[in-house]
Amino acid sequence: MSDVHVPAAVSPMIPRTLFNEDHEAFRATARRFFETEIAPYHEKWEEQQHLDRELWNKAGELGLLCATMPEEYGGCGVDRLYSMILMEEQARVGDSASGFALHSDIVANYINNFGSHEQKSQWLPKMATGEAVTAVAMTEPGTGSDLQRIKTTATLEGDHYVVNGSKIFITNGYLCDMAVVAVRTGPADLGAQSVSLMIIEADREGFSKGKPLKKVGMRGQDTCELFFDNVKVPKENLLGAEGMGFIALMKELAWERMMIAIICSSAAEHALATTVEYVKQRQAFGKPVAAFQNTRFELAEMRSEIQIARVYVDRCMELVVKNSLSPEAACAAKYWVSDLLSKVVDRCVQLHGGYGYMLEYPIARAYIDTRANRIYGGTNEIMKELISRSI
């Protein structure tokens, strides 16, 4: 365990108007949780490559999991601004280990939006309390962002499917009790029309997990491979209609990309705050590093760019709440803000000098932890391709 000091954020040049008192009360709870339960144990999470399992239950007890789900299924029925707050507070402390957002805002949405009443009743309440940890398994070795070419198959045999294949880079995979898995239920030449989604419990015979993957950064996050060897899955575990999986995935990907933009925007603010504090304290040639014109200009540029990103992300979230955000706007947010974060962190490392390369400093951890944002959720190159199609 280590003491956690989170520097005060640089004040925004344009005030935010998204949140009300209830939102801020939720933020206070989330902030305490991440500051006391997550951030001090960063080294522990990295060593074991996942959070302690009981933290999921603690998060559930505080109402931090699946808050946007309907009350009848264990949620609070609140808007996605609550999800935004949770992700911002996670990024504020430099947490790259917890997979709460994927569980609450991706897996839960698939079940709530496409599942039957029975599926919702079975899983969402347990997900809200932390009794069940969940993952979504789409990516496969060799397919990357091309979901139409997945090779994991689900063959119908009587009253059940038999699933064979593997998935890679699965967040929450090692601790998961259940995964929503993208499978092929028809001929490969049908492409997207043969992709389906399926709920697969981790205790089913033939379902196995690899060891947590050794990553460059985000080493505390639970990420592993999943393997399916003749796994028998009841027909009622099909999520939505057969062959509708790709459509469901596309509908949810816009929100997943906004989630990345939210985290990156807050992470950039955190990187700047950390650097401002450092350069004001660090002396060079008899005066603070902050006193040099180059430092001031660098900070001014980053503050401006981060503020511009913040305004765009907040405006996108206003549209998310109204269910009117376009897919290309979400793609733009994901690619531009994740690119910006990488640029900001790199410049902040430079301003730290040699200490910026020491892992005891938050900016060094950010340097290795934030790079993946430009890859997952669809690579930034894919984002540009999707944006271009709407022109």
Side-chain angles (χ1 to χ4, degrees), residues 191-264:
Q193 298 176 48
S194 68
V195 176
S196 303
L197 295 181
M198 192 167 287
I199 294 172
I200 305 183
E201 302 88 343
D203 60 359
R204 289 195 174 275
E205 185 177 354
F207 185 141
S208 61
K209 305 170 181 179
K211 293 181 180 179
L213 296 167
K214 294 182 178 180
K215 305 183 294 295
V216 172
M218 307 180 74
R219 291 185 299 226
Q221 187 192 81
D222 169 357
T223 312
C224 74
E225 290 183 87
L226 302 180
F227 304 97
F228 307 95
D229 182 11
N230 291 318
V231 181
K232 290 186 177 181
V233 182
K235 285 197 300 186
E236 53 266 29
N237 279 31
L238 190 68
L239 192 59
E242 193 173 283
M244 296 298 290
F246 190 79
I247 294 174
L249 290 170
M250 292 304 101
K251 286 183 178 179
E252 291 303 309
L253 276 175
W255 171 234
E256 180 179 350
R257 288 158 183 165
M258 272 310 304
M259 290 169 61
I260 296 169
I262 290 166
I263 291 170
C264 289

Side-chain angles (χ1 to χ4, degrees), residues 288-308:
V289 173
F292 293 95
Q293 186 183 63
N294 177 69
T295 303
R296 298 199 307 271
F297 282 10
E298 286 286 317
L299 295 177
E301 287 180 19
M302 287 190 286
R303 185 187 184 193
S304 300
E305 291 165 355
I306 292 168
Q307 177 70 85
I308 292 166

Side-chain angles (χ1 to χ4, degrees), residues 26 34 56 59-60 63-70 74-76 78-80 82-84 86-87 90 98-113 123-124 126-130 132-136 171-172 178 252 255 259:
F26 182 79
F34 282 108
W56 287 87
L64 300 178
L65 301 178
C66 302
T68 63
M69 293 299 105
C76 300
V78 294
D79 60 52
R80 279 182 166 169
Y82 286 81
S83 299
M84 184 184 197
L86 191 75
M87 288 179 265
Q90 174 187 353
S98 63
F100 302 138
L102 180 136
H103 169 92
S104 299
D105 279 279
I106 297 180
V107 182
N109 281 328
Y110 282 126
I111 294 173
N112 187 52
N113 293 338
W123 288 107
L124 292 178
K126 290 191 289 187
M127 291 172 65
T129 62
V133 174
T134 61
V136 59
T171 301
N172 297 344
M178 177 272 279
E252 291 303 309
W255 171 234
M259 290 169 61

Side-chain angles (χ1 to χ4, degrees), residues 328-376:
E328 57 268 28
C331 288
K334 190 271 180 188
Y335 113 71
W336 197 86
V337 185
S338 63
D339 267 6
L340 174 65
L341 174 59
S342 286
K343 294 172 185 175
V344 164
V345 169
D346 186 76
R347 292 159 83 177
C348 289
V349 167
Q350 193 73 16
L351 288 173
H352 275 72
Y355 290 101
Y357 216 59
M358 299 295 107
L359 282 174
E360 63 188 276
Y361 284 79
I363 199 62
R365 294 201 304 270
Y367 188 69
I368 58 175
D369 283 346
T370 59
R371 179 60 178 82
N373 289 288
R374 290 155 59 190
I375 298 172
Y376 55 57

